[in-house]
Amino acid sequence: MSSCQGELAGERVWLRVEDANGGVVREGEVTLLPNGFVELWLPRGQRFTFTARYGGLEARKTLTTFAGSPTCVTEYR
């Protein structure tokens, strides 16, 4: 359990997740959970590019699902 609390709890955010080959894994609006996060289950041992849009802002980040990869990401840059 975590006591982390995101700033956008319950807000709708546009999200796109692409695999390393550019295939779209998920795209569309999601409602953030009460803790302000989104939860996604992705296949192990892969690299994904996440793009999120909210309020005219866009953030992109590459995440991996390899052994030792973080399971919780709290920043976009």
Side-chain angles (χ1 to χ4, degrees):
M1 298 294 289
S2 173
S3 62
C4 292
Q5 179 64 48
E7 298 175 11
L8 300 175
E11 293 291 325
R12 303 236 352 125
V13 174
W14 181 87
L15 181 67
R16 181 180 174 103
V17 182
E18 296 178 32
D19 63 22
N21 297 318
V24 177
V25 175
R26 180 166 187 159
E27 182 174 31
E29 284 194 346
V30 297
T31 300
L32 300 181
L33 298 170
N35 63 3
F37 290 87
V38 63
E39 185 175 277
L40 297 174
W41 292 95
L42 298 167
R44 291 181 192 200
Q46 295 186 36
R47 181 177 310 277
F48 299 92
T49 300
F50 284 72
T51 304
R53 293 184 188 144
Y54 175 81
L57 301 172
E58 180 176 295
R60 184 169 294 164
K61 188 163 185 87
T62 299
L63 301 172
T64 62
T65 57
F66 299 111
S69 293
T71 58
C72 180
V73 177
T74 59
E75 68 178 43
Y76 270 88
R77 294 194 187 208

